[in-house]
Amino acid sequence: MTADASVRQERLATTLRGLRIRRGGLFEGDRWMLVVGGTLIPLGIIVVLLGWLGASDTVLVFEQVPYLISGGLLGLALVGAGGFVYFAYWLTVMVRENRTGREELTGALMRLESLMSEQAQTMAAATAPKARKGSVSSSLVATKTGTMLHRPDCIAVDGKTDLRQVSASTAGLTACRLCDPLGEA
């Protein structure tokens, strides 16, 4: 059973390699649309001009009608078809550019996310509290005139220089809700 699975896997891999070669190699649909659209529009204009030149040689309406039908309508049809094909080429290019831009943006966001998570882990490791949650830290701080009890790594007192050392039993101080220095739930 594993031999059969490996044979199927190899056949699938070979088929996929063939698809990749065909997709980027021989047939490039957008190139053909550009060539066809770029050829049909001028060809249609030339046919319209030839029809006009044929119809302008005579003043008789019954002789002008064939030129109008063959030159004018066929030329307009060629110009219209060329315009649609060229529009399809333009849409194909826009979709490809959109997909490429989206893939690049997704890649950049993934790289940014990984860098930010690495930096957050590094900062968390550097500023990790020495005491575990649930146990009262031996070193607690408060601002000079503050009424809240903080751990030294609390974001509320981060960067402040006028801190004083206090203990958990200091009267008049309440526990900070951000750092929970007393380990309350």
Side-chain angles (χ1 to χ4, degrees):
M1 187 162 177
T2 58
D4 183 42
S6 66
V7 168
R8 286 188 299 165
Q9 178 89 16
E10 184 60 36
R11 190 173 26 157
L12 179 64
T14 304
T15 305
L16 284 176
R17 279 193 292 271
L19 286 175
R20 287 187 193 128
I21 290 170
R22 273 187 240 132
R23 183 176 180 214
L26 184 60
F27 179 74
E28 294 181 15
D30 57 337
R31 288 276 181 191
W32 285 104
M33 286 189 281
L34 177 63
V35 169
V36 169
T39 303
L40 285 179
I41 292 174
L43 182 65
I45 292 171
I46 289 172
V47 170
V48 167
L49 289 176
L50 288 175
W52 177 77
L53 284 174
S56 67
D57 285 341
T58 181
V59 292
L60 302 173
V61 174
F62 69 91
E63 289 179 349
Q64 293 176 350
V65 170
Y67 288 109
L68 173 69
I69 292 173
S70 63
L73 295 180
L74 177 65
L76 286 176
L78 289 173
V79 168
F84 279 122
V85 171
Y86 192 75
F87 181 69
Y89 161 75
W90 178 74
L91 284 177
T92 303
V93 170
M94 295 294 289
V95 166
R96 184 184 320 115
E97 287 177 358
N98 190 6
R99 285 181 182 163
T100 304
R102 186 178 60 228
E103 288 170 0
E104 290 175 359
L105 181 62
T106 302
L109 287 174
M110 294 298 282
R111 287 190 303 272
L112 185 60
E113 180 183 10
S114 68
L115 287 173
M116 288 178 67
S117 67
E118 288 174 11
Q119 184 180 10
Q121 289 172 355
T122 305
M123 289 179 64
T127 61
K130 308 254 187 301
R132 293 178 173 246
K133 189 158 180 98
S135 65
V136 178
S137 174
S138 60
S139 129
L140 298 174
V141 294
T143 58
K144 189 170 188 168
T145 58
T147 60
M148 292 191 121
L149 185 65
H150 302 276
R151 290 191 320 215
D153 61 339
C154 179
I155 194 168
V157 295
D158 187 31
K160 296 195 177 188
T161 57
D162 61 339
L163 299 177
R164 58 188 166 115
Q165 292 288 333
V166 293
S167 68
S169 60
T170 305
L173 294 178
T174 59
C176 173
R177 293 182 189 166
L178 296 175
C179 65
D180 194 18
L182 301 178
E184 297 171 354

